[in-house]
């Protein structure tokens, strides 16, 4: 049995849900509300699972794995089909590069604990925090858009016509961009990939509003 500790609105959790669905792997949803009662991720039982107090966390076969990239690559190794990473080394590197552009360059500047720090102790208001998020999303999306348009590898998805690790990362980040009203008109290739992927069952079932803990 696979247990997934996650939060419906967490983009890192969203990535893992996509991968689980795409692989056809059944899992038990273990919601961890990041806001209610000060954040359930700070409770002692969850800290034992992940001292970083972050979601997602996956438990399987007696092992506990944190960090969405590590989790998804683990799933890709225990369930080879359908693959989320191409077999050819340069294509694999390209997919990882796109995923890491989100995981390292965009998401860390916009996650919940950063936004909370902007609010307290730095006293940045809601409008200022949204502008902060839009700035970093736009900077990252500009680079990704150029890559999709010019690298000669994209199709209906980030790389070719079937989902990869890159799509698992891009689609949740577009959801985050929409939440802070980031204009998407400058990124037609990103929007095209988003609209295609959200027609796929694995992505639609992983969306925040489709989760049992959505509120």
């Amino acid at each position: 049995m696979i247990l997934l500790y996650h939060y419906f609105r967490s983009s890192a959790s969203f990535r893992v849900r996509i991968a689980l669905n795409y692989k056809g792997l059944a899992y038990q949803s273990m919601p961890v509300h990041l806001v209610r009662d000060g954040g359930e991720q700070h409770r002692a039982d969850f800290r034992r699972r992940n001292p970083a107090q972050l979601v997602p966390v996956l438990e399987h076969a007696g092992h506990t794995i944190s960090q969405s990239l590590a989790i998804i690559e683990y799933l890709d190794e225990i369930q080879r089909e359908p693959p989320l990473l191409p077999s050819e080394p340069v294509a694999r590197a390209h997919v990882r590069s796109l995923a890491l552009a989100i995981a390292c360059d965009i998401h860390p500047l916009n996650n919940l604990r950063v936004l909370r720090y902007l609010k307290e102790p730095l006293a940045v208001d809601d409008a200022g925090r949204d502008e902060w998020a839009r700035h970093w999303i736009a900077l990252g999306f500009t680079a990704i858009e150029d890559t999709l348009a010019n690298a000669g590898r994209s199709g209906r998805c980030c790389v070719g016509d079937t989902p990869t690790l890159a799509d698992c990362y891009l689609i949740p980040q577009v959801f985050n961009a929409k939440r802070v009203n980031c204009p998407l008109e400058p990124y037609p290739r990103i929007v095209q990939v988003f609209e295609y992927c959200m027609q796929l069952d694995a992505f639609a079932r992983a969306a925040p509003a489709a989760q049992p803990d959505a509120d």
Side-chain angles (χ1 to χ4, degrees):
M1 170 65 71
I2 295 174
L3 302 181
L4 178 65
Y5 293 83
H6 65 122
Y7 179 52
F8 76 99
R9 197 177 284 137
S10 157
S11 61
S13 298
F14 191 172
R15 301 164 189 163
V16 174
R17 294 194 300 262
I18 293 169
L20 285 163
N21 293 342
Y22 187 65
K23 294 284 185 180
L25 293 168
Y27 66 95
Q28 183 174 342
S29 174
M30 308 293 287
V32 179
H33 204 291
L34 301 187
V35 179
R36 184 183 300 138
D37 299 325
E40 295 174 353
Q41 72 275 24
H42 303 306
R43 293 179 179 177
D45 60 335
F46 188 77
R47 289 203 307 272
R48 285 192 291 271
R49 289 185 170 87
N50 186 7
Q53 302 169 56
L54 297 170
V55 293
V57 172
L58 184 135
E59 292 185 348
H60 179 235
H63 303 289
T64 301
I65 306 170
S66 60
Q67 293 293 343
S68 62
L69 182 61
I71 293 171
I72 294 173
E73 293 216 25
Y74 170 76
L75 296 174
D76 208 40
E77 290 167 359
I78 66 169
Q79 178 68 40
R80 295 289 186 177
E81 297 295 332
L84 283 168
L85 283 165
S87 58
E88 194 273 317
V90 175
R92 288 170 74 90
H94 182 69
V95 166
R96 286 192 172 110
S97 176
L98 288 168
L100 289 169
I102 295 165
C104 299
D105 298 339
I106 302 176
H107 178 251
L109 291 160
N110 295 283
N111 69 11
L112 181 62
R113 61 182 180 175
V114 169
L115 297 179
R116 281 179 166 171
Y117 191 78
L118 288 172
K119 182 177 181 180
E120 294 179 7
L122 300 184
V124 178
D125 62 15
D126 290 347
R129 293 197 302 277
D130 285 352
E131 181 55 35
W132 164 277
R134 285 192 293 269
H135 171 78
W136 298 111
I137 292 169
L139 196 65
F141 273 12
T142 298
I144 292 170
E145 178 71 18
D146 287 348
T147 300
L148 295 180
N150 299 319
R153 293 182 177 273
S154 66
R156 290 181 295 182
C157 297
C158 287
V159 177
D161 292 328
T162 57
T164 65
L165 179 71
D167 303 286
C168 293
Y169 274 70
L170 179 62
I171 272 54
Q173 189 58 59
V174 174
F175 267 78
N176 282 357
K178 288 173 172 282
R179 285 185 60 209
V180 297
N181 298 312
C182 182
L184 296 177
E185 291 81 6
Y187 319 113
R189 292 290 299 136
I190 288 175
V191 170
Q192 180 181 326
V193 171
F194 174 80
E195 290 178 348
Y196 173 74
C197 285
M198 285 309 299
Q199 297 176 41
L200 304 178
D201 180 70
F203 288 78
R205 288 193 292 116
Q211 305 315 302
D213 59 320
D215 57 18

